[in-house]
Amino acid sequence: MDTVSTSRRGFLRGSAQASLLGTLSGMGLLGAAAPAQAAVTDYKALVCLYMFGGNDGNNMIVPLDAAHYAKYSAARSAAGLALSTSAKTLLSPRTATLQAVPDALAQSFGFHYGMPEIDALFGQGEVAAVLNVGSLRQPLTKAQYVAGTANPSQLFSHPDQTLQNQAGTPAGAGTGWGGRLLDVLGSTGRLDAVSVGAGGLFVEGASVHGNRLPESGELGLAGMNFWPQAQADTRRDALRQILASENPNLMANAANKALLQGMILVDDLTKANAATPLNTVFPGFALATQLHTVAQLIRQRAAQGPGRQVFFVSIGGFDTHGGQVYQQWNVLRQVSQSVAAFQQALAEIGHKQSVTTFTMSDFGRTLTANSGGTDHGWGNHHLVIGAAVKGGVYGKFPDFTLGGPDDATGRGVWIPQFSNQQVGATLGRWFGVEPDKLAHEVFKNELVKFAVSDLGFMG
């Protein structure tokens, strides 16, 4: 992908998020104050791992039964995108009984060779692969799609689909479904909704406002590096006093308080990690750094008692119109290694059962290739990771017939079998939200249009 298109899409993504996340007052005031008590008796957290650009799920998990694989290979071999176990671009085949479908058939498949750690977690029963998920208003057949019946808007647009996925509705919303879960539970602690790195609408609620931290959890301030340390401390204390004073300008006052509380939170995190550093070694990727920060935040918040947290972390590089063979391997290996380290860190701090991570992306990609890559698609495969997950494969692979009943455009653009609302509701039930509130408050009366609201991949 060329650098010009990357910059443009990055700008659009950032602009769209900024417009919905609002001004500093909408970002909330960071701080390590004692949390407000939500109506729960234990601690749990959800971590949304967003793959910006549209991950090619067709190559992340590949069906290996003869019928599917023949069609897959025919569509992708000429462009050099077809993976295989013989070429060792797919990991060793696995077989799982399909769940959340009428016919519980045995399905053989293989994970992309860049994800051996995810494959190992699957073998331990800690990964659910949820097949062909996407933006839907209601269950949709190809005939209904062609007729334009209740089709989601702007299907192949990066910024629109990013916001729809995180909002949990194709209708669009100024809040995210993670934030709305916290709204319903009455959770209003300042550490309850956090984006690390890039901002995410996912953590924004109506009453819960998401906080945003740098990837490392460290807040670098220009002009604060002095030696001896006492001089730096003096200047920081002076800045704190300035920020703590009231400013008649409302915007300036909100910005000052946000920065002040951010400084306090980062200092607390730094002290806590210095006192009891995590022993888990994380790889040197930006995503891994984000997840390391999340693990620190979980340890700090969970020590304060029962409650709920939602997090947003992200990685880019999935818009693989060209150079996909290397590019997807590179980003998937980062996801796999980073998530594995995160799971190890959760075990270290004693919260492996309490935290569930799930992937989300703009959309899937076409089964057919262009020059070395793939184009924007629709339905996509996602992963749910955690010790509370009922591991396995949920749903079925699309019929890989080009122009067939599952293909919206003739290029292998899959009409989703599961909606974002169904995946979100399954996670929301585990999170502790009642089914009626999930249906009518979190997912805005759209969930009721689907026959199954709980796909069963959570314990």
Side-chain angles (χ1 to χ4, degrees):
M1 181 175 59
D2 63 276
T3 56
V4 174
S5 62
T6 302
S7 299
R8 181 178 70 251
R9 290 186 177 111
F11 171 77
L12 289 171
R13 181 175 72 239
S15 299
Q17 289 170 343
S19 66
L20 281 173
L21 292 179
T23 59
L24 285 166
S25 61
M27 291 171 63
L29 298 180
L30 285 162
Q37 291 300 312
V40 295
T41 58
D42 58 359
Y43 172 82
K44 288 181 179 178
L46 285 172
V47 181
C48 174
L49 194 171
Y50 202 92
M51 301 175 174
F52 280 116
N55 177 44
D56 181 20
N58 293 317
N59 269 16
M60 183 177 74
I61 178 171
V62 179
L64 294 176
D65 62 281
H68 274 99
Y69 191 77
K71 295 174 184 177
Y72 163 85
S73 182
R76 293 201 156 190
S77 290
L81 296 183
L83 307 181
S84 69
T85 55
S86 60
K88 296 184 178 181
T89 49
L90 285 177
L91 298 174
S92 297
R94 290 191 176 274
T95 300
T97 300
L98 297 180
Q99 302 182 60
V101 291
D103 299 321
L105 303 175
Q107 174 68 60
S108 60
F109 66 93
F111 282 107
H112 190 285
Y113 75 112
M115 307 187 83
E117 296 83 6
I118 291 293
D119 180 69
L121 288 170
F122 184 93
Q124 297 166 24
E126 295 186 6
V127 174
V130 189
L131 304 180
N132 198 13
V133 180
S135 182
L136 288 173
R137 297 178 186 273
Q138 63 181 47
L140 202 65
T141 66
K142 183 172 181 178
Q144 290 171 321
Y145 170 78
V146 171
T149 303
N151 293 346
S153 62
Q154 304 298 322
L155 274 176
F156 310 114
S157 160
H158 286 289
D160 291 283
Q161 291 306 299
T162 294
L163 294 177
Q164 287 182 28
N165 291 335
Q166 295 184 44
T169 169
T175 57
W177 65 265
R180 295 197 298 273
L181 289 175
L182 296 180
D183 285 340
V184 168
L185 290 171
S187 183
T188 58
R190 291 174 180 173
L191 284 177
D192 291 350
V194 181
S195 294
V196 182
L201 178 67
F202 170 73
V203 301
E204 289 293 314
S207 59
V208 173
H209 294 298
N211 295 312
R212 182 175 173 183
L213 281 177
E215 288 179 352
S216 65
E218 298 176 359
L219 187 61
L221 295 172
M224 294 293 154
N225 296 321
F226 289 93
W227 187 258
Q229 185 63 40
Q231 293 188 21
D233 293 341
T234 298
R235 179 167 285 201
R236 287 179 68 89
D237 289 342
L239 177 59
R240 285 176 184 246
Q241 293 178 35
I242 293 170
L243 296 174
S245 63
E246 294 299 313
N247 191 309
N249 183 299
L250 294 178
M251 281 294 294
N253 199 53
N256 288 346
K257 297 301 184 291
L259 179 56
L260 175 61
Q261 296 300 321
M263 290 173 66
I264 294 170
L265 173 58
V266 170
D267 286 348
D268 287 348
L269 284 174
T270 301
K271 291 175 183 177
N273 195 48
T276 313
L278 289 172
N279 292 320
T280 300
V281 177
F282 281 75
F285 307 130
L287 176 61
T289 303
Q290 294 170 49
L291 288 171
H292 181 273
T293 299
V294 170
Q296 291 178 284
L297 289 166
I298 287 171
R299 180 173 62 181
Q300 180 177 343
R301 171 60 188 85
Q304 299 174 19
R308 295 292 185 267
Q309 285 183 292
V310 294
F311 294 96
F312 181 87
V313 298
S314 60
I315 177 174
F318 288 91
D319 194 18
T320 50
H321 290 281
Q324 179 170 315
V325 172
Y326 170 79
Q327 181 64 15
Q328 192 184 27
W329 167 79
N330 186 41
V331 287
L332 286 181
R333 75 183 177 97
Q334 294 180 46
V335 169
S336 185
Q337 293 177 33
S338 300
V339 168
F342 182 57
Q343 289 301 110
Q344 184 178 342
L346 292 176
E348 178 187 337
I349 64 177
H351 287 288
K352 197 173 180 182
Q353 285 282 346
S354 306
V355 181
T356 299
T357 303
F358 63 97
T359 64
M360 192 185 289
S361 196
D362 309 16
F363 33 61
R365 306 194 75 83
T366 55
L367 184 65
T368 60
N370 55 31
S371 55
T374 50
D375 291 323
H376 299 177
W378 188 0
N380 204 358
H381 310 323
H382 289 294
L383 304 176
V384 185
I385 306 109
V389 172
K390 294 168 65 175
V393 178
Y394 291 78
K396 62 180 181 179
F397 287 97
D399 181 333
F400 280 1
T401 302
L402 297 178
D406 295 334
D407 183 4
T409 68
R411 294 197 60 201
V413 172
W414 311 130
I415 300 170
Q417 67 180 314
F418 296 139
S419 68
N420 291 323
Q421 297 94 321
Q422 290 171 286
V423 173
T426 306
L427 291 164
R429 181 194 59 79
W430 171 80
F431 207 54
V433 177
E434 298 174 359
D436 184 67
K437 293 185 180 295
L438 285 169
H440 302 294
E441 296 183 39
V442 178
F443 293 105
K444 308 294 184 181
N445 299 314
E446 290 179 338
L447 182 63
V448 296
K449 298 176 183 178
F450 299 90
V452 177
S453 61
D454 187 338
L455 299 179
F457 56 74
M458 296 302 300

